[in-house]
Amino acid sequence: MGSAWSTNSENTGLYGGAATWLTVHKNYDGKTASWGNYVSFGGLNKGIAFTNTPAGLKAAAVASGEQALTRLYDDKIKPTVVRHRPITVGRHRGHEITARVPVKVPLLKETYSTILIAVIDRGDGTAVVSIGDVAGSTPQWIAVWRQKVQEIKITS
Protein backbone atom coordinates (compact mmCIF):
# COMPACT_ATOMS: atom_id res chain seq x y z
CA MET A 1 0.00 0.00 0.00
CA GLY A 2 3.01 2.27 -0.26
CA SER A 3 6.09 3.05 1.75
CA ALA A 4 4.39 5.52 4.09
CA TRP A 5 2.39 2.64 5.59
CA SER A 6 3.91 0.86 8.56
CA THR A 7 3.30 -2.37 10.44
CA ASN A 8 0.71 -2.34 13.18
CA SER A 9 -0.86 -4.94 15.42
CA GLU A 10 -4.18 -6.35 14.30
CA ASN A 11 -6.77 -5.03 16.72
CA THR A 12 -10.11 -5.51 14.98
CA GLY A 13 -10.59 -9.10 16.14
CA LEU A 14 -9.55 -11.03 13.05
CA TYR A 15 -8.17 -14.53 13.43
CA GLY A 16 -4.44 -14.67 12.71
CA GLY A 17 -4.59 -11.20 11.18
CA ALA A 18 -2.02 -8.63 10.17
CA ALA A 19 -2.44 -4.88 9.92
CA THR A 20 -0.87 -1.73 8.56
CA TRP A 21 -1.17 1.95 9.57
CA LEU A 22 -0.72 5.31 7.82
CA THR A 23 -0.48 8.41 10.00
CA VAL A 24 -2.68 11.18 8.59
CA HIS A 25 -2.55 13.68 11.51
CA LYS A 26 0.54 13.33 13.69
CA ASN A 27 0.29 14.84 17.19
CA TYR A 28 -2.96 16.62 16.30
CA ASP A 29 -3.47 17.45 19.97
CA GLY A 30 -0.04 19.06 20.27
CA LYS A 31 1.09 16.10 22.38
CA THR A 32 1.20 12.47 21.32
CA ALA A 33 -2.20 11.68 19.76
CA SER A 34 -2.12 10.66 16.11
CA TRP A 35 -4.96 9.84 13.74
CA GLY A 36 -4.59 7.69 10.69
CA ASN A 37 -5.75 5.03 8.31
CA TYR A 38 -5.79 1.40 9.39
CA VAL A 39 -6.12 -1.75 7.30
CA SER A 40 -6.16 -5.37 8.47
CA PHE A 41 -6.44 -8.75 6.77
CA GLY A 42 -7.08 -12.11 8.43
CA GLY A 43 -9.50 -14.93 9.05
CA LEU A 44 -13.06 -14.51 10.23
CA ASN A 45 -13.12 -14.45 14.02
CA LYS A 46 -14.06 -17.91 15.29
CA GLY A 47 -16.83 -16.37 17.41
CA ILE A 48 -18.71 -15.15 14.32
CA ALA A 49 -21.09 -17.61 12.67
CA PHE A 50 -20.58 -18.18 8.95
CA THR A 51 -22.53 -19.83 6.18
CA ASN A 52 -21.53 -19.60 2.53
CA THR A 53 -24.74 -18.04 1.27
CA PRO A 54 -25.28 -14.40 0.29
CA ALA A 55 -27.20 -13.86 3.54
CA GLY A 56 -24.46 -15.63 5.53
CA LEU A 57 -21.73 -13.50 3.95
CA LYS A 58 -23.71 -10.34 4.74
CA ALA A 59 -24.32 -11.42 8.33
CA ALA A 60 -20.63 -12.23 8.82
CA ALA A 61 -19.66 -8.84 7.36
CA VAL A 62 -22.10 -7.06 9.69
CA ALA A 63 -20.79 -8.95 12.73
CA SER A 64 -17.15 -8.30 11.72
CA GLY A 65 -17.93 -4.62 11.25
CA GLU A 66 -19.64 -4.35 14.64
CA GLN A 67 -16.67 -6.03 16.29
CA ALA A 68 -14.20 -3.74 14.48
CA LEU A 69 -16.14 -0.58 15.37
CA THR A 70 -16.23 -1.58 19.03
CA ARG A 71 -12.49 -2.25 19.06
CA LEU A 72 -11.46 0.79 17.00
CA TYR A 73 -13.94 3.25 18.54
CA ASP A 74 -16.44 2.05 21.17
CA ASP A 75 -19.69 0.16 21.45
CA LYS A 76 -21.78 3.33 21.27
CA ILE A 77 -20.62 4.44 17.79
CA LYS A 78 -23.40 4.72 15.23
CA PRO A 79 -22.22 4.59 11.61
CA THR A 80 -24.18 6.41 8.90
CA VAL A 81 -24.41 6.14 5.09
CA VAL A 82 -24.14 2.34 5.32
CA ARG A 83 -23.80 0.60 1.95
CA HIS A 84 -23.81 -3.13 1.22
CA ARG A 85 -22.74 -4.83 -2.00
CA PRO A 86 -21.89 -8.34 -3.10
CA ILE A 87 -18.34 -8.75 -4.37
CA THR A 88 -16.31 -11.48 -6.05
CA VAL A 89 -12.61 -12.08 -5.38
CA GLY A 90 -11.22 -14.55 -7.88
CA ARG A 91 -14.12 -16.97 -8.16
CA HIS A 92 -15.06 -16.56 -4.49
CA ARG A 93 -18.21 -14.78 -3.37
CA GLY A 94 -18.02 -12.05 -0.80
CA HIS A 95 -19.81 -9.13 0.77
CA GLU A 96 -18.59 -5.55 1.25
CA ILE A 97 -19.88 -2.92 3.65
CA THR A 98 -18.85 0.72 3.70
CA ALA A 99 -20.11 3.22 6.26
CA ARG A 100 -19.24 6.62 7.65
CA VAL A 101 -18.17 6.84 11.26
CA PRO A 102 -18.78 10.28 12.80
CA VAL A 103 -15.68 11.68 14.49
CA LYS A 104 -15.80 14.33 17.21
CA VAL A 105 -12.38 14.56 18.80
CA PRO A 106 -11.11 17.86 20.23
CA LEU A 107 -8.42 19.49 18.03
CA LEU A 108 -8.84 16.87 15.28
CA LYS A 109 -9.91 18.31 11.93
CA GLU A 110 -11.58 15.07 10.76
CA THR A 111 -15.37 14.93 10.96
CA TYR A 112 -15.71 11.30 9.85
CA SER A 113 -13.87 8.17 8.87
CA THR A 114 -15.01 5.46 6.49
CA ILE A 115 -15.12 1.91 7.81
CA LEU A 116 -14.66 -0.78 5.15
CA ILE A 117 -15.46 -4.45 5.67
CA ALA A 118 -15.01 -7.28 3.18
CA VAL A 119 -15.80 -10.93 3.94
CA ILE A 120 -14.86 -13.50 1.30
CA ASP A 121 -15.89 -17.17 1.26
CA ARG A 122 -12.80 -19.40 1.05
CA GLY A 123 -14.86 -22.30 -0.25
CA ASP A 124 -13.99 -24.61 2.67
CA GLY A 125 -16.50 -23.42 5.25
CA THR A 126 -14.33 -20.49 6.40
CA ALA A 127 -13.93 -16.88 5.33
CA VAL A 128 -11.23 -14.25 5.05
CA VAL A 129 -11.84 -10.68 6.12
CA SER A 130 -10.37 -7.26 5.53
CA ILE A 131 -11.20 -4.26 7.70
CA GLY A 132 -10.25 -0.72 6.71
CA ASP A 133 -10.67 2.54 8.57
CA VAL A 134 -9.93 5.54 6.34
CA ALA A 135 -9.89 9.17 7.48
CA GLY A 136 -12.48 11.31 5.72
CA SER A 137 -9.74 13.60 4.39
CA THR A 138 -8.07 10.71 2.50
CA PRO A 139 -10.83 9.08 0.41
CA GLN A 140 -8.30 8.04 -2.26
CA TRP A 141 -7.31 5.12 -0.01
CA ILE A 142 -10.76 3.52 -0.35
CA ALA A 143 -10.02 2.57 -3.97
CA VAL A 144 -6.60 1.27 -2.95
CA TRP A 145 -8.17 -0.89 -0.23
CA ARG A 146 -10.67 -2.29 -2.73
CA GLN A 147 -7.84 -3.14 -5.13
CA LYS A 148 -5.89 -4.89 -2.36
CA VAL A 149 -9.00 -6.89 -1.43
CA GLN A 150 -9.24 -7.99 -5.09
CA GLU A 151 -5.62 -9.19 -4.89
CA ILE A 152 -6.37 -11.65 -2.07
CA LYS A 153 -5.33 -15.12 -3.21
CA ILE A 154 -7.46 -17.96 -1.84
CA THR A 155 -5.84 -21.36 -2.21
CA SER A 156 -8.56 -23.67 -0.93
Side-chain angles (χ1 to χ4, degrees):
M1 294 190 89
S3 62
W5 289 78
S6 62
T7 58
N8 193 49
S9 61
E10 195 296 307
N11 58 9
T12 58
L14 302 183
Y15 182 67
T20 187
W21 169 266
L22 173 71
T23 299
V24 177
H25 303 287
K26 185 173 183 165
N27 301 331
Y28 65 81
D29 64 350
K31 299 176 186 171
T32 60
S34 292
W35 192 265
N37 296 341
Y38 171 88
V39 176
S40 61
F41 295 88
L44 182 66
N45 185 294
K46 291 182 177 187
I48 295 175
F50 175 71
T51 57
N52 62 351
T53 64
L57 286 161
K58 181 178 180 180
V62 168
S64 294
E66 288 170 349
Q67 180 175 273
L69 284 169
T70 297
R71 289 173 172 244
L72 294 172
Y73 296 92
D74 64 44
D75 61 353
K76 294 172 188 60
I77 199 76
K78 299 290 183 215
T80 63
V81 194
V82 179
R83 294 190 175 104
H84 292 263
R85 72 183 187 114
I87 60 173
T88 302
V89 175
R91 295 182 315 266
H92 297 266
R93 291 187 303 180
H95 190 86
E96 178 189 286
I97 302 172
T98 60
R100 282 193 174 190
V101 178
V103 174
K104 293 181 182 177
V105 177
L107 304 177
L108 180 64
K109 294 180 181 177
E110 297 292 340
T111 58
Y112 72 93
S113 283
T114 301
I115 187 87
L116 311 153
I117 303 109
V119 173
I120 301 122
D121 179 9
R122 293 186 66 223
D124 64 358
T126 65
V128 294
V129 183
S130 179
I131 304 289
D133 185 32
V134 177
S137 64
T138 62
Q140 66 273 21
W141 288 106
I142 295 170
V144 175
W145 175 82
R146 283 189 171 125
Q147 179 59 42
K148 295 301 179 184
V149 166
Q150 285 300 313
E151 293 173 11
I152 293 173
K153 302 291 184 226
I154 299 173
T155 58
S156 66

